[in-house]
Each structure stands twice: as C-alpha cells, then as structure tokens.
Amino acid sequence: MCPGDKTQTRRIDEILEKVRASGGRVTPQRVAIIKAAIASDHPSVEQVYQAVRVEFPMTSLATVYKTLSMLQEMGQAVSLGSSDDALHYDLLTPDPHAHALCLRCGRVRDLPVSTLPDMVSEASEVADGWRLTRRIDFWGLCDDCAHEAAPAEDRTERA
Ligand SMILES: [Zn+2]
Ligand SMILES: [Zn+2]
C-alpha cells in the first residue's frame, strides 16, 4: 500500500463523516461515487460515472452529478471545467487551490499558489454576507502540448 492510498482512505472517511453530520444518507452507491472520484486525478463526471457503473450498473449520470454537486455545496469538492467542456471534480483537496487546465488535451493539475488562501479569506470578508464558493482556474497549454506547439522555434521570451 502506497502512502497515496492512505490519504485517499482518510479523505473518504472524512467526506462520509461530513455527509452524515449534515443529515445526508450514506448509501453504498454514494460511497462508490466518492471512492471513484477520489481514485483518479481530477476526474470528469463521465469518468466517475463509468467507474461506478462497473459495480453499480443501475447508477445514472444524473445521480453522479447530484452527488458531486451536493459535496461541492458542502465544501467537500471543487468543480472545474476543462477544454472538453466536461465538468471535472477534485474531492481529494477541498482547500482553496488553483488549477491549471490545458486547452489542447484537457489535462488538469493543481497549482500550489501560496497567496490563494489569503485571497479566499479576503474575498469572504468583503462579500457582505454572501456565501461563496471559489474556483480559480488558469488556462493554457501543458508542458507536452506547449512542446508540440513550438517544436522548431525557441520561444523563450526576452524583455
Ligand atoms: Zn496538454
Ligand atoms: Zn485540484
């Protein structure tokens, strides 16, 4: 068992606890959705759906959507779009964090921007009682796609 598995198991338990605490039902299907969403890196709703259907063939895409958006409302999931217009989710890291999305291949990764938590707390301070969720995305080309886009030229920018 690698350390990543432990983190995932702990995170699954944490989410289930929050669901119970908020009066939500913890059904085997919900557990499967949460597990599937945590098992891969920023999966799309479709990917979670396909994974859950292996064990629960009766699961509908709508149920997967509903469960993930419920978790988002609880502050336990972060949703983000991608270049393929698919909605992706991050359940592993609910804390404020920024994402980088590749416009060409749809890859998503976390960006550990250190000033972000400050920005998020300042935003809620100035929001006049609004209950906000956040989504901070950066768009562009991933390292692989950037390489492909500029194979010959050296595009190093110089001031
Ligand atoms: Zn890419
Ligand atoms: Zn993330």
Side-chain angles (χ1 to χ4, degrees):
M1 198 190 222
C2 71
D5 292 336
K6 252 189 196 158
T7 313
Q8 290 185 5
T9 311
R10 212 179 307 129
R11 181 69 191 122
I12 291 166
D13 290 344
E14 191 179 83
I15 293 174
L16 293 177
E17 223 167 83
K18 298 268 182 304
V19 173
R20 280 192 205 99
S22 71
R25 282 184 309 140
V26 175
T27 61
Q29 188 180 250
R30 272 191 177 168
V31 175
I33 292 171
I34 292 165
K35 274 188 186 163
I38 279 183
S40 49
D41 190 22
H42 300 96
S44 66
V45 177
E46 180 72 29
Q47 282 171 321
V48 175
Y49 170 62
Q50 295 300 347
V52 171
R53 276 186 34 152
V54 175
E55 209 185 333
F56 295 90
M58 302 298 281
T59 306
S60 71
L61 189 58
T63 303
V64 177
Y65 261 108
K66 262 189 248 163
T67 305
L68 293 173
S69 79
M70 173 197 80
L71 292 171
Q72 189 187 5
E73 274 170 37
M74 291 171 51
Q76 295 304 311
V78 177
S79 78
L80 52 148
S82 187
S83 58
D84 51 4
D85 276 337
L87 200 55
H88 290 247
Y89 276 90
D90 186 347
L91 270 62
L92 201 54
T93 316
D95 304 329
H97 68 282
H99 288 99
L101 316 171
C102 178
L103 291 169
R104 188 171 284 191
C105 71
R107 246 170 84 188
V108 180
R109 57 158 291 183
D110 289 344
L111 279 187
V113 179
S114 64
T115 49
L116 199 62
D118 288 342
M119 194 180 128
V120 170
S121 54
E122 190 184 339
S124 50
E125 271 167 35
V126 298
D128 300 323
W130 284 37
R131 278 184 53 190
L132 301 175
T133 179
R134 74 273 146 183
R135 185 174 147 180
I136 295 123
D137 299 341
F138 292 84
W139 302 79
L141 294 176
C142 70
D143 46 354
D144 288 345
C145 293
H147 234 76
E148 262 172 49
E153 271 177 89
D154 177 17
R155 293 205 179 178
T156 315
E157 279 178 14
R158 271 171 213 168

